């Protein structure tokens, strides 16, 4: 259990290099088992979810070593296709191991994944697509059993551009005979990252970033060296923090286009934004105006993960902002906590109406999930007095050293660790015997 202490009132100044992407790292780690290969994967953030993925890889028989933000994975031996329920429960993204294990082992045994409770997130699109490629799948309660003596290419139409389903199809299709085409594929930057990693291992994939992706098997390679792109949601969070608190910060190592919609609304709210190459500069007076209507949508639309964070940044904005959430039914769980600070927010179904207030007051809040917890930290930066956020480890699932990054920019933030189970106490993967060999990638 962590208790975040945030004393509001400080403006933010300085520069910050944005961490590697959580949502790109996790599919890449799962993809490392598709072929027997040695991978050096750079810019992997030190997060709870990344550790959970490493634990799954180790359980399956891979040799995994870490040096700072580099992981060395030797997947030459995958001895098991069964992921225990307790490992699956650690993160939502664990479901992508299904496609990877089918590609490598021809079978997969796992359970429904864990992660933030944001509402119904069925995996029927994953299962129907894999069945179309020749997999036999049975379900017993929360347990899923997949088997495929031989996968074959297929024309797959996704009725919704599901990121997870797109990733699972890409992974399984690497071992399928013939061509697999995904119509209506997710277009997120993380899909492009997965394509780039699989291509570096010899997979024949094209089209990521568009609605149509084509996979034609692979000519597997033994080694690869890959760098994970920056995290667009972390970049969005830091930009929103500056917008709310006021100041001027420079984010480096980012792709401006990946969080363009968030920057658009911050600009509409009164922030000055400059970008050049991999640098984005945000300046804010701390006095914002409501940007109007914000509607979440699959990429390239406004990201649902950034909705709670932008809402927190606009709590004192002049005027009214209407949010419409189209992805997750329980994405407004942070609203009741933000109201405790004095925020004026009303919710009706998928819509939330935010009316800016003159002042927020520090209170004790409880983080309901990863992005909701980050939103409360952002809100605390603008509240009078001290805001305390009680967090059961959610924030550490997606933000690496978030408190240190904010403090380096001038925020007054510190974390009180209570009891066991903090990220700092989490056991790190052992350095296996094959570690030095994997490093020679």
């Amino acid at each position: 259990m962590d208790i975040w202490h945030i004393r509001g009132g400080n403006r933010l100044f300085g520069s910050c290099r944005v961490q590697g992407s959580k949502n790109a790292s996790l599919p890449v780690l799962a993809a490392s088992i598709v072929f027997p290969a040695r991978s050096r994967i750079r810019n992997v953030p030190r997060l709870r979810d990344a550790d959970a993925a490493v634990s799954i890889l180790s359980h399956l028989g891979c040799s995994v070593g870490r040096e700072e933000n580099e992981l060395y994975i030797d997947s030459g031996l995958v001895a098991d296709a069964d992921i225990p329920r307790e490992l699956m429960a650690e993160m939502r993204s664990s479901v992508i191991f299904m496609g990877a294990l089918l590609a490598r082992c021809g079978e997969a045994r796992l359970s429904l994944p864990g992660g933030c409770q944001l509402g119904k997130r069925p995996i029927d699109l994953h299962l129907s697509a894999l069945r179309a490629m020749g997999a036999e799948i049975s379900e017993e309660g929360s347990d899923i059993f997949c088997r495929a003596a031989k996968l074959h290419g297929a024309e797959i139409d996704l009725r919704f551009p599901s990121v997870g389903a797109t990733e699972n199809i890409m992974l399984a299709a690497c071992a399928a005979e013939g061509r697999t085409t995904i119509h209506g594929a997710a277009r997120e930057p993380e899909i492009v990252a997965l394509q780039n990693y699989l291509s570096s291992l010899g997979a024949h994939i094209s089209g990521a970033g568009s609605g149509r992706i084509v996979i034609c098997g692979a000519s597997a390679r033994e080694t690869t060296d890959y760098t994970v792109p920056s995290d667009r949601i972390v970049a969005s969070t830091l930009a929103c923090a500056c917008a709310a608190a006021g100041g001027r910060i420079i984010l480096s190592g980012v792709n401006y286009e990946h969080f363009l919609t968030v920057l658009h609304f911050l600009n509409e709210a009164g922030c000055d934004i400059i970008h050049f190459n991999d640098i984005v500069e945000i300046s804010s007076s701390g006095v914002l105006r409501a940007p109007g209507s914000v509607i979440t949508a699959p990429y390239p639309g406004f990201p649902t993960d950034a909705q709670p964070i932008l809402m927190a940044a606009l709590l004192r904005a002049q005027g009214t902002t209407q949010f419409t959430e189209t992805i997750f039914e329980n994405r407004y769980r942070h609203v009741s906590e933000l109201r405790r600070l004095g925020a004026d927010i009303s919710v009706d179904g998928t819509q939330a109406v935010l009316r800016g207030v003159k002042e927020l007051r520090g209170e004790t809040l409880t983080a309901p999930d990863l992005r909701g917890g980050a939103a409360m930290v952002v809100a605390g930066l603008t509240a009078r007095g001290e805001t305390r956020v009680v967090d059961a480890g959610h924030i550490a699932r997606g933000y690496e050293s978030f408190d240190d990054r904010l403090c380096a920019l001038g925020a007054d933030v510190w974390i009180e660790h209570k009891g066991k189970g903090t990220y700092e106490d989490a056991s790190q993967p052992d350095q296996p015997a094959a570690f030095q060999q994997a490093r020679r990638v």
Side-chain angles (χ1 to χ4, degrees):
M1 183 70 68
D2 296 337
I3 301 178
W4 287 69
H5 297 260
I6 308 105
R7 293 194 63 84
N10 290 10
R11 289 175 173 258
L12 304 185
F13 293 94
S15 61
C16 175
R17 186 165 187 85
V18 175
Q19 70 183 59
S21 169
K22 173 183 86 82
N23 290 335
S25 294
L26 301 180
V28 165
L29 295 182
S32 69
I33 66 171
V34 170
F35 307 111
R38 298 191 306 276
S39 299
R40 168 187 278 175
I41 305 175
R42 306 173 188 266
N43 204 32
V44 179
R46 299 185 70 89
L47 304 171
R48 288 183 184 274
D49 276 11
D51 279 354
V54 167
S55 295
I56 291 174
L57 289 173
S58 298
H59 169 81
L60 295 175
C62 299
S63 295
V64 186
R66 180 192 275 274
E67 283 187 356
E68 299 299 330
N69 292 103
E70 292 187 7
L71 280 177
Y72 304 89
I73 303 172
D74 187 340
S75 62
L77 175 63
V78 173
D80 200 342
D82 187 349
I83 303 176
R85 186 172 300 177
E86 59 270 20
L87 291 180
M88 287 293 297
E90 290 296 316
M91 63 174 185
R92 172 68 186 179
S93 298
S94 56
V95 73
I96 57 178
F97 278 92
M98 181 164 51
L101 284 170
L102 270 176
R104 179 67 181 275
C105 304
E107 61 179 339
R109 297 180 296 277
L110 61 168
S111 58
L112 292 175
C116 293
Q117 302 305 308
L118 300 176
K120 295 179 181 178
R121 293 194 280 185
I123 62 169
D124 57 310
L125 292 179
H126 305 236
L127 302 183
S128 61
L130 294 175
R131 286 186 173 116
M133 299 170 66
E136 297 178 358
I137 303 174
S138 60
E139 302 174 63
E140 296 180 9
S142 63
D143 294 323
I144 303 171
F145 304 90
C146 308
R147 183 181 296 276
K150 182 181 294 186
L151 291 168
H152 56 76
E155 297 284 326
I156 299 173
D157 292 286
L158 294 178
R159 65 178 182 273
F160 177 83
S162 163
V163 173
T166 300
E167 291 167 343
N168 256 326
I169 298 166
M170 292 169 67
L171 295 171
C174 288
E177 290 187 359
R179 185 176 75 174
T180 299
T181 304
I182 310 172
H183 302 279
R187 299 167 60 185
E188 274 74 1
E190 294 78 23
I191 300 296
V192 177
L194 180 59
Q195 173 181 282
N196 291 342
Y197 173 70
L198 288 170
S199 295
S200 75
L201 281 173
H204 306 307
I205 307 180
S206 62
S210 73
R212 180 176 179 271
I213 299 175
V214 179
I215 309 100
C216 298
S219 303
R221 300 168 188 158
E222 295 183 355
T223 64
T224 190
D225 192 322
Y226 178 76
T227 300
V228 173
S230 64
D231 195 307
R232 60 194 174 101
I233 304 302
V234 171
S236 299
T237 303
L238 292 167
C240 286
C242 179
R248 173 180 171 272
I249 67 171
I250 296 173
L251 304 177
S252 62
V254 298
N255 187 322
Y256 169 79
E257 294 183 351
H258 288 176
F259 61 122
L260 178 62
T261 52
V262 177
L263 294 176
H264 164 76
F265 283 110
L266 293 181
N267 183 242
E268 289 288 304
C271 297
D272 291 326
I273 298 170
I274 301 172
H275 66 96
F276 178 74
N277 291 338
D278 68 343
I279 292 174
V280 172
E281 176 185 306
I282 304 101
S283 300
S284 170
S285 66
V287 179
L288 304 177
R289 57 179 178 268
S293 178
V294 180
I295 303 173
T296 65
Y299 190 86
F302 186 87
T304 180
D305 280 357
Q307 177 258 104
I309 299 157
L310 179 63
M311 182 181 289
L314 297 174
L315 294 179
R316 295 191 302 116
Q318 299 171 358
T320 300
T321 306
Q322 179 172 298
F323 289 85
T324 302
E325 174 58 49
T326 69
I327 309 298
F328 293 131
E329 60 184 342
N330 290 340
R331 184 56 100 176
Y332 291 132
R333 296 173 68 200
H334 55 283
V335 168
S336 60
E337 296 298 294
L338 294 178
R339 287 183 185 137
R340 293 170 59 81
L341 298 176
D344 183 355
I345 311 170
S346 59
V347 175
D348 182 10
T350 61
Q351 294 188 338
V353 177
L354 166 63
R355 301 171 183 85
V357 297
K358 290 184 177 180
E359 183 180 71
L360 300 173
R361 302 172 303 279
E363 253 297 349
T364 299
L365 313 177
T366 300
D369 50 59
L370 167 56
R371 306 305 175 185
M376 292 170 197
V377 174
V378 169
L381 296 174
T382 69
R384 179 167 56 85
E386 181 175 282
T387 299
R388 294 168 295 280
V389 180
V390 180
D391 175 33
H394 295 298
I395 297 173
R397 287 185 44 238
Y399 294 85
E400 178 183 55
S401 304
F402 191 37
D403 55 328
D404 292 337
R405 294 177 190 272
L406 289 173
C407 287
L409 295 173
D412 188 352
V413 177
W414 64 282
I415 302 177
E416 178 184 2
H417 300 297
K418 292 282 191 179
K420 298 180 180 180
T422 64
Y423 181 73
E424 286 75 8
D425 294 332
S427 59
Q428 299 300 313
D430 295 331
Q431 305 302 312
F435 178 64
Q436 293 301 327
Q437 182 182 10
R439 287 188 61 196
R440 289 198 291 271
V441 171

